[in-house]
Amino acid sequence: MSMMTINTLVEDIYASAIHPENWTPTLSRLAQITGYRGIAIVPENTNDDSLKLSSSVDKTPDHEYYTYYININPFRRLRPNLPRYKGLIRDIDLLSPDEIRNSPYYVDFLNKHGCSHTERIYICQQDIAFFLAGQRGKNYSYDKATSEIDLCFFRVI
């Protein structure tokens, strides 16, 4: 990835912080560059509406997630056991194939929207804590990664 692309992306992120209406296209560009199907900002405190942002133009999946699927997301059950959320967390590394195959979160939600699993990083700055979550497409392969960067890119900004 060129330095110009990275600089433009960083500028877009800072501009989105000032003008929140720019988050959808900024997260969409980031998803495209990093090979994610979509990217969302999910607050640790799910009642905090100010951080519920995503790359999706059609906000139907966001509405579905926050009204139902966030409550059955298996990752929420594992969070207290994770060592302070360091680095990139892949749910497929934490859950068994049976758990994924039998979970409505994966079968009824992610698969319905063309995704297979989610990768997350945890970001905590002063009194704001959130997960930056990227959904990988059904055909994504780690051996054929399409990008030089992933969500950990945000740790350096």
Side-chain angles (χ1 to χ4, degrees):
M1 174 178 308
S2 73
M3 279 308 291
M4 180 179 247
T5 302
I6 292 173
N7 289 340
T8 301
L9 188 55
V10 171
E11 287 171 9
D12 289 349
I13 290 166
Y14 280 107
S16 296
I18 297 167
H19 304 286
E21 66 275 8
N22 292 341
W23 273 116
T24 297
T26 297
L27 291 174
S28 182
R29 264 191 306 283
L30 179 62
Q32 183 180 23
I33 289 169
T34 54
Y36 289 96
R37 178 115 170 113
I39 291 182
I41 296 174
V42 181
E44 186 172 46
N45 172 6
T46 56
N47 295 322
D48 184 355
D49 288 331
S50 66
L51 288 174
K52 294 178 180 177
L53 303 165
S54 81
S55 62
S56 143
V57 175
D58 172 10
K59 297 301 179 187
T60 304
D62 301 344
H63 179 72
E64 288 178 10
Y65 180 75
Y66 282 108
T67 55
Y68 178 64
Y69 290 103
I70 193 171
N71 297 315
I72 61 169
N73 182 343
F75 179 77
R76 292 175 60 79
R77 163 175 61 80
L78 297 170
R79 278 194 342 212
N81 302 326
L82 296 175
R84 217 43 212 151
Y85 316 121
K86 302 242 187 227
L88 189 69
I89 303 166
R90 292 183 180 97
D91 48 15
I92 58 173
D93 293 338
L94 301 172
L95 300 166
S96 73
D98 279 344
E99 286 178 296
I100 291 173
R101 197 171 24 258
N102 296 317
S103 167
Y105 172 73
Y106 294 96
V107 176
D108 298 334
F109 180 65
L110 280 186
N111 289 343
K112 179 174 90 175
H113 294 289
C115 303
S116 64
H117 68 279
T118 302
E119 299 175 354
R120 299 168 179 82
I121 61 166
Y122 177 71
I123 297 176
C124 182
Q125 295 294 326
Q126 296 173 351
D127 56 349
I128 297 174
F130 61 94
F131 288 91
L132 188 62
Q135 295 79 38
R136 291 293 188 188
K138 287 184 178 180
N139 298 324
Y140 179 78
S141 168
Y142 292 114
D143 298 331
K144 300 175 185 173
T146 59
S147 174
E148 299 168 20
I149 63 171
D150 57 26
L151 292 176
C152 291
F153 171 76
F154 270 83
R155 290 214 179 269
V156 297
I157 296 179

